Amino acid sequence: MRDLHARDRRTGSSTTAAARYLPAVLVEFLVQSVQLYAIVGLLFSLAFAWKGAAVVDPVATNATLGFRVLLLPGAALLWPLLAHRWWKAALAGSADIPSDHTEHWQRGSERLRSVALVMWLVLGPALVVVLVVAHLARSNGTPSTRDATQLPTVTSETKLMEDSR
Amino acid sequence: MSVSYRAVQWNAAKKAYDRRLIVVIALYFAVFFLAASVAFETSPLILAMRACGTAAIALLIFILSIGPLARFSPRFSPLLYNRRHLGVTMFLLAFAHAALATLWYHGFGVIDPLTSILESGAAFEGAAQFPFQPLGLAALVILFAMAATSHDFWLRNLSPRVWKLLHLGVYVAFALLVAHVAFGVLQGAIWPGFAWMLAAAAAWIVALHIAAGVKEWRADRVRRALAADGWVRVGEVERIVEETTEGRAKAVVIDDCRKIALYRENGAFSAISGVCAHQGGPLGEGKIIDGCVTCPWHGYQYIASKGQSPPPFFEKIPTYELRIEGRTLYVHPQAKPPGTPVPPCKIAGLEGSPS
Ligand code: HEM
Ligand code: FES
């Protein structure tokens, strides 16, 4: 038996069709796209770690097994980019490592710090807003009363309740 | 800067660093479990989830503090050295938290966990019902992208600039996490003190970054006069000699924000880019070790007069020409292509240290 204590209202899975903040079709589409992307990525990453990495970057030619394993998650994530690189390098017969060593890129990396400063000047006030809203929301409501009045639909909670009967 | 890639480039210093990290996390877990099992009566799974979540956010705050602190004092630079391992550890903790939360709150349902997270808090009314879990998910995706691309292979193959931009995503992840925790903890009303700690930590991180950014921006604003022939005056030779010691550099900014490191070696000066080819570390704050300029961040090395790493490594940085006229040192603002050798500029009467 699991204790129900912590499975409180925060689960929030009790969705009523009328009050979704994301349309169900959109969620379904999102989830299926992610799944498809991940499956292709996983298969690709194996091929990439085994053969592709050394085609794209000759330094990886005699790399260790440990390194190849570490490549997997990144390759699964960035597979469209890497597939393109692999394709290009295989056609050209040589790797083309992107370089920052042009004047333009060099200037850009020297400016990154200022980008970061601007980012913090935006993030700072944004975080203040988040915290203030969260605090106000807290003093407004007594959230824990709402849950009991909600009729759960078929969710993890109902299933669990049934299980524990 | 390896010759062929290995999984982890461990050395004695990094091993010591990692050992300390593991001990600290183990201690944290021990204290957390002891304190929390007294304070809330709840299942060990929930406690483990909370321990991982809070450890991850605490580690993230520590990681985010190191960069700007190192810009205020070089004493913090050693912490930067192995920051990558801190980052990956933080991701693993965050992942464990998310996995436990998903298992607990979404795993036993009839719909799949991802759908369940995205729809969580769907019927919200007002901020206290805010769907905080998708925020955690978004942050986790960013942290995953960063951890997955943390190896030098990615740095080289995405190019340092794209890599750095990707890793600026940590700021976005931090903001998402503050919201995730603020609304998550609120909805649970677990322990209000935690919300105040979070607010204080967020304020500290923001203030620290803005202060460091402003310091950097001020330094970058110094413009140096162009001489008529297009060279830039750095200063009086004697002054520069006074300001430096053998094996150390003077960091110079010309032309709005172009950084140059002016290294003093064997009684002569060499000018190289002040931005490390690895992750943009401040080469002007490094020192010469075994005849090589050594970056204070992760120890990449360059031969100053050649603008490139000693063989078998292949990193290159731009070099600059120097000229002395009368008693004044000038630098040419046009960077030489990375790896272009430039003969050091000998200073009459200045001896190198016998070493
Ligand atoms: C898929 C992603 C995530 C999900 C589903 C998730 C879920 C949750 C849930 C349900 C809670 C409330 C827990 C409780 O009952 O105490 C919570 C709180 C928290 N989360 Fe997450 N989270 C996710 C990602 C993250 C990430 C990436 C972090 C990063 C550091 C994080 C840090 C925290 C912290 C510090 C708390 C407050 C302490 C706690 O209650 O555990 N979460 N999260
Ligand atoms: S920035 Fe990493 S070694 Fe210079």
Side-chain angles (χ1 to χ4, degrees):
Chain A
M1 273 285 296
R2 290 177 193 286
D3 69 318
L4 283 166
H5 170 77
R7 290 178 65 88
D8 56 22
R9 46 173 300 287
R10 269 167 292 146
T11 60
S13 284
S14 32
T15 309
T16 51
R20 291 170 183 278
Y21 72 108
L22 280 179
V25 201
L26 188 66
V27 170
E28 194 184 332
F29 177 74
L30 256 167
V31 170
Q32 282 177 0
S33 313
V34 169
Q35 283 169 347
L36 185 67
Y37 188 94
I39 290 168
V40 177
L42 276 175
L43 294 176
F44 175 85
S45 67
L46 291 171
F48 185 79
W50 184 36
K51 291 273 173 194
V55 180
V56 167
D57 178 357
V59 180
T61 307
N62 289 317
T64 60
L65 182 67
F67 165 73
R68 287 170 202 276
V69 172
L70 281 195
L71 271 187
L72 296 177
L77 181 72
L78 298 174
W79 66 264
L81 172 76
L82 298 172
H84 177 68
R85 287 265 175 87
W86 189 353
W87 176 253
K88 270 202 325 196
L91 280 187
S94 70
D96 178 24
I97 309 277
S99 170
D100 282 5
H101 295 158
T102 59
E103 184 67 8
H104 177 74
W105 284 83
Q106 187 73 27
R107 300 296 288 145
S109 42
E110 284 170 17
R111 288 222 175 85
L112 265 180
R113 296 257 173 87
S114 350
V115 177
L117 176 60
V118 172
M119 222 159 151
W120 282 106
L121 288 175
V122 175
L123 267 188
L127 289 182
V128 172
V129 171
V130 165
L131 289 168
V132 168
V133 169
H135 181 72
L136 291 181
R138 178 186 180 76
S139 29
N140 276 348
T142 40
S144 38
T145 52
R146 248 190 107 245
D147 197 45
T149 63
Q150 242 172 23
L151 280 181
T153 49
V154 188
T155 61
S156 39
E157 274 167 328
T158 35
K159 179 160 178 286
L160 187 97
M161 284 173 202
E162 276 155 20
D163 287 350
S164 52
R165 247 174 229 143
Chain B
M1 47 184 201
S2 59
V3 188
S4 184
Y5 295 116
R6 276 186 291 153
V8 184
Q9 297 245 325
W10 261 308
N11 57 27
K14 287 191 185 177
K15 279 189 181 155
Y17 195 114
D18 290 349
R19 262 197 300 273
R20 254 172 259 170
L21 175 62
I22 291 171
V23 169
V24 169
I25 293 175
L27 276 177
Y28 177 82
F29 271 67
V31 171
F32 188 94
F33 270 93
L34 270 179
S37 51
V38 177
F40 335 103
E41 48 178 283
T42 184
S43 80
L45 196 83
I46 290 270
L47 278 189
M49 174 184 77
R50 289 180 184 158
C52 290
T54 51
I57 200 114
L59 194 53
L60 178 62
I61 287 161
F62 180 70
I63 292 169
L64 287 176
S65 307
I66 300 174
L69 281 177
R71 267 182 260 161
F72 284 111
S73 162
R75 268 181 307 160
F76 294 100
S77 292
L79 290 173
L80 273 173
Y81 181 56
N82 210 11
R83 190 164 52 163
R84 174 181 354 204
H85 292 189
L86 294 182
V88 174
T89 309
M90 185 267 297
F91 165 73
L92 292 176
L93 286 167
F95 183 78
H97 158 82
L100 289 171
T102 306
L103 185 75
W104 186 249
Y105 289 128
H106 306 280
F108 313 111
V110 286
I111 38 178
D112 83 292
L114 195 56
T115 311
S116 177
I117 292 175
L118 286 174
E119 293 192 333
S120 67
F124 74 98
E125 288 165 13
Q129 305 290 317
F130 197 80
F132 70 101
Q133 296 184 69
L135 296 174
L137 180 62
L140 191 69
V141 170
I142 295 175
L143 298 180
F144 169 70
M146 292 176 51
T149 58
S150 64
H151 196 279
D152 274 345
F153 172 87
W154 299 108
L155 183 68
R156 178 165 137 91
N157 281 279
L158 295 175
S159 90
R161 195 161 97 110
V162 172
W163 189 90
K164 195 87 191 176
L165 269 174
L166 176 72
H167 284 238
L168 281 181
V170 72
Y171 299 159
V172 178
F174 177 69
L176 289 167
L177 286 175
V178 170
H180 169 73
V181 179
F183 288 107
V185 170
L186 272 179
Q187 294 190 32
I190 303 168
W191 179 49
F194 188 72
W196 287 111
M197 275 166 64
L198 179 77
W204 154 257
I205 291 293
V206 170
L208 198 59
H209 278 85
I210 291 181
V214 167
K215 184 175 179 232
E216 195 91 9
W217 174 71
R218 281 233 181 98
D220 286 357
R221 240 179 5 162
V222 188
R223 282 167 194 265
R224 280 162 199 270
L226 269 183
D229 52 3
W231 288 68
V232 176
R233 185 180 177 280
V234 180
E236 295 296 304
V237 173
E238 278 108 77
R239 277 288 304 279
I240 299 168
V241 167
E242 263 169 38
E243 283 170 13
T244 52
T245 54
E246 175 70 19
R248 292 274 184 172
K250 176 180 167 64
V252 179
V253 186
I254 57 164
D255 186 15
D256 209 2
C257 67
R258 179 182 307 241
K259 296 179 174 65
I260 297 181
L262 215 59
Y263 266 94
R264 177 167 153 193
E265 186 180 18
N266 301 325
F269 280 97
S270 293
I272 55 174
S273 164
V275 181
C276 181
H278 181 219
Q279 288 177 23
L283 283 182
E285 293 162 29
K287 62 180 168 201
I288 293 181
I289 300 175
D290 302 330
C292 293
V293 168
T294 305
C295 177
W297 280 13
H298 318 90
Y300 269 39
Q301 292 196 308
Y302 308 92
I303 299 169
S305 57
K306 294 186 177 161
Q308 76 185 58
S309 298
F313 305 116
F314 37 68
E315 271 71 35
K316 291 179 177 154
I317 43 169
T319 49
Y320 292 86
E321 273 182 313
L322 292 172
R323 190 182 76 177
I324 295 179
E325 220 177 84
R327 305 167 63 179
T328 312
L329 182 71
Y330 292 88
V331 61
H332 199 284
Q334 179 63 48
K336 296 265 173 200
T340 311
V342 172
C345 182
K346 192 88 188 127
I347 308 291
L350 181 64
E351 294 295 319
S353 67
S355 62

